[in-house]
Amino acid sequence: MKKTAKKPAAKTSSLTYATKNGYEKISPAELKHCEEVNQAYLQYITKAKTEREASDEAILLLEAAGFKDMRQYEKTGTRLVPGDKVYRCSEGKTLMAVVVGKKPLADGMHIVGGHTDAPRIDLKQNPLYENSELALFDTHYYGGIKKYQWVTIPLALHGVFVKPDGKKVKIAIGEDPSDPVLCITDLLPHLAADQYKKTIGDAITGEGLDVLAGSIPSSDKDKKEKVKHNILSILNKKYGVTEADFLSAELELVPAAAPREAGLDRSMILGYGHDDRVCAWTGLRAILDLKGTPEYTSCVLLCDKEEIGSVGATGMASNLFENASAELLNLTTDSYSELTLKRALHNSWMLSADVNALFDPMFPTVSDKRNTPLINHGVCVTKFTGSRGKSGSSDASAEFMAHIRRIFDKNGVVWQTGELGKVDQGGGGTIAQFMARYGMQVVDCGVGLFSMHAPMELAGKLDIFMAYKGYLAFLKDGRK
Ligand code: MN
Ligand code: MN
């Protein structure tokens, strides 16, 4: 009888699975690269405090790297060929960067999609009023915030007034150390007996988030509401705007503090808007660093409106991405058809680049430790998001998870899996579900955070670097 070759048993070391702290794995040369990438990220989030600014700053970086405005090609009908680098911005808010690949677009793109809108406090359309000789701006918060975190901190006012003739007046007050800042007041503990009885969600209300704007009365004796009038005349002198111009303005209050390195070992970055500029920027940096012509067309998205459900004309629940892909297809082929567009989208692979929640020993009960990202254990791949029984999740396939494993492991990406909290604790979603509509393969993949949606969020430098490295490996991948 012929002896059958015995299948070699797996090595004991590879029989089990456990993640490891990335600092115990990476080389000194990589550590240096990690530091350089993080310093560049710090510079970006220092300047990019709103979705519009995030888009503007990204365009500067793209143009410096030779990316051209795709709309110029659309206007002239100039064809795009493999290796061409273009970007397409919508409403100054949502941005797509593309490097045309060797394969036809119908074979699919490799997409990394993050978002640049972040939780914040917006001014209402008729915001300015006077009460008790104080000028205040009435506000409406944007995204999921814990309201009590936004009082008593310095706030900067960023945004744009658009005049009826279309003229734009951009403002950013509170970032320069010589600028004034704004602030929402809170109650002193001495008089907070009633407030203490409320729940943490009720102690500060949405309508209670009005921001203090001034206290000096105008010298004009005939005016009522002299303090409000004085603020209007300051704004008019400096920016040429009137009270009516608030009607067509988008003004956002964001933390006035600059991002900083955190921890005595400088292992983290404390800053506003990591969710999701940390993934949007690392995606952007990956496409900027892409050398040569990729096999598949690379596409990086910096999206708007994710924090309020990806709704609106600049959100991924709209047809914006599909329309932009149609334009791209039209520029890369002589035979545009709806069927080819559908194939291009269906055959695409995507990393939905968004943040996840790190395991926090201060709040150990909300997570399942074996299925929660740990700081420094690398970029986190989240197979499904959603809440309750995975409701609202796009749940990536095992096959696609296997592709990502192969790509990341082959390229030395330190990575882990994790879901957002333990079962039935809460949940969340990303743009993944809106992209999955096209039948494309998509999985969430991003940086873990402490204090997500707080005015200042914390992210680990190694995880930020590994997100960059993972996105770059994914864009380059030839599916072989
Ligand atoms: Mn997010
Ligand atoms: Mn978020």
Side-chain angles (χ1 to χ4, degrees):
M1 216 167 96
K2 202 177 149 209
K3 197 182 169 200
T4 45
K6 210 176 155 192
K7 228 179 163 187
K11 281 186 198 148
T12 329
S13 60
S14 59
L15 205 65
T16 57
Y17 167 78
T19 62
K20 199 175 169 186
N21 194 308
Y23 281 104
E24 294 179 58
K25 286 186 182 178
I26 76 170
S27 67
E30 258 208 316
L31 202 56
K32 215 173 139 192
H33 191 193
C34 169
E35 201 50 39
E36 182 269 313
V37 165
N38 274 280
Q39 293 306 327
Y41 172 58
L42 258 172
Q43 283 186 17
Y44 179 76
I45 52 167
T46 302
K47 292 179 199 147
K49 302 286 284 274
T50 68
E51 69 284 19
R52 284 177 191 264
E53 291 170 0
S55 189
D56 290 350
E57 289 299 320
I59 289 172
L60 291 177
L61 295 170
L62 287 164
E63 287 189 339
F67 284 73
K68 302 266 188 292
D69 190 344
M70 197 170 115
R71 287 177 205 269
Q72 293 306 322
Y73 290 77
E74 290 164 26
K75 260 182 215 157
T76 57
T78 314
R79 285 287 299 273
L80 286 169
V81 295
D84 278 353
K85 302 169 173 186
V86 288
Y87 70 85
R88 194 175 200 276
C89 184
S90 299
E91 324 267 337
K93 293 176 177 180
T94 284
L95 184 64
M96 174 169 93
V98 171
V99 177
V100 180
K102 290 176 194 159
K103 291 185 185 289
L105 206 71
D107 286 9
M109 297 180 264
H110 280 207
I111 306 161
V112 175
H115 66 93
T116 55
D117 62 316
R120 60 179 192 251
I121 298 176
D122 289 343
L123 295 202
K124 288 188 183 179
Q125 274 355 98
N126 184 17
L128 188 60
Y129 69 95
E130 179 166 334
N131 186 345
S132 313
E133 294 182 39
L134 296 171
L136 294 121
F137 284 122
D138 209 340
T139 67
H140 198 137
Y141 66 96
Y142 174 97
I145 62 167
K146 290 167 97 175
K147 300 175 192 88
Y148 72 88
Q149 295 176 332
W150 293 74
V151 295
T152 75
I153 60 168
L155 296 168
L157 187 63
H158 288 240
V160 63
F161 290 94
V162 186
K163 301 274 211 170
D165 65 1
K167 194 175 154 258
K168 282 185 188 178
V169 184
K170 280 188 194 176
I171 66 160
I173 307 167
E175 298 299 343
D176 190 279
S178 67
D179 281 354
V181 294
L182 301 177
C183 191
I184 300 164
T185 56
D186 194 7
L187 194 55
L188 62 168
H190 316 63
L191 300 180
D194 292 341
Q195 191 189 40
Y196 278 136
K197 287 180 199 145
K198 294 180 180 170
T199 64
I200 206 166
D202 297 337
I204 301 290
T205 63
E207 284 293 353
L209 286 175
D210 293 357
V211 70
L212 192 51
S215 62
I216 300 179
S218 147
S219 53
D220 190 335
K221 289 195 177 56
D222 302 332
K223 290 278 178 285
K224 278 192 274 172
E225 301 192 315
K226 290 194 178 74
V227 181
K228 170 181 165 177
H229 191 261
N230 190 41
I231 295 298
L232 282 172
S233 73
I234 289 168
L235 288 171
N236 188 263
K237 250 181 231 151
K238 186 134 191 218
Y239 304 105
V241 295
T242 65
E243 190 172 16
D245 290 327
F246 281 97
L247 299 174
S248 49
E250 277 176 11
L251 298 167
E252 310 178 6
L253 289 161
V254 297
R260 302 285 295 268
E261 291 180 300
L264 297 183
D265 56 6
R266 297 177 184 265
S267 61
M268 296 165 281
I269 293 177
L270 177 72
Y272 166 65
H274 283 317
D275 180 5
D276 179 40
R277 290 165 201 150
V278 72
C279 300
W281 181 84
T282 42
L284 179 74
R285 173 71 188 248
I287 202 166
L288 290 170
D289 287 357
L290 200 60
K291 302 255 170 2
T293 305
E295 288 294 313
Y296 293 85
T297 294
S298 290
C299 173
V300 168
L301 299 170
L302 276 63
C303 307
D304 183 32
K305 297 283 187 280
E306 193 278 341
E307 293 296 355
I308 57 169
S310 296
V311 292
T314 51
M316 285 299 107
S318 76
N319 287 336
L320 181 65
F321 176 69
E322 185 180 327
N323 294 347
S325 300
E327 297 284 1
L328 183 63
L329 176 63
N330 191 41
L331 291 172
T332 55
T333 176
D334 288 329
S335 51
Y336 176 89
S337 75
E338 199 183 334
L339 180 62
T340 320
L341 175 64
K342 286 187 182 222
R343 283 180 180 154
L345 294 169
H346 179 91
N347 291 330
S348 287
W349 282 6
M350 179 176 183
L351 295 180
S352 167
D354 209 340
V355 296
N356 201 323
L358 288 171
F359 177 81
D360 185 341
M362 292 300 104
F363 305 97
T365 58
V366 302
S367 315
D368 163 21
K369 205 169 177 182
R370 273 180 305 116
N371 287 285
T372 293
L374 305 175
I375 192 163
N376 299 335
H377 284 232
V379 63
C380 179
V381 179
T382 302
K383 185 174 180 293
F384 52 86
T385 58
S387 54
R388 301 180 305 281
K390 303 192 182 181
S391 178
S393 166
S394 66
D395 206 357
S397 70
E399 286 83 352
F400 193 52
M401 288 294 285
H403 287 309
I404 301 304
R405 270 180 78 185
R406 172 182 58 74
I407 296 167
F408 283 6
D409 289 344
K410 198 170 74 180
N411 289 281
V413 177
V414 178
W415 68 283
Q416 56 188 326
T417 61
E419 58 178 286
L420 188 72
K422 68 183 185 189
V423 181
D424 286 343
Q425 186 66 41
T430 68
I431 63 169
Q433 56 180 310
F434 306 108
M435 308 303 280
R437 279 182 314 188
Y438 300 109
M440 69 173 70
Q441 298 291 322
V442 51
V443 68
D444 282 290
C445 174
V447 176
L449 299 184
F450 291 123
S451 315
M452 192 195 296
H453 286 201
M456 299 299 264
E457 303 171 312
L458 269 167
K461 284 181 180 174
L462 183 125
D463 299 335
I464 295 172
F465 177 61
M466 288 301 161
Y468 155 74
K469 221 178 134 174
Y471 299 153
L472 183 56
F474 176 75
L475 293 178
K476 276 187 194 163
D477 185 67
R479 303 191 187 178
K480 288 194 182 98

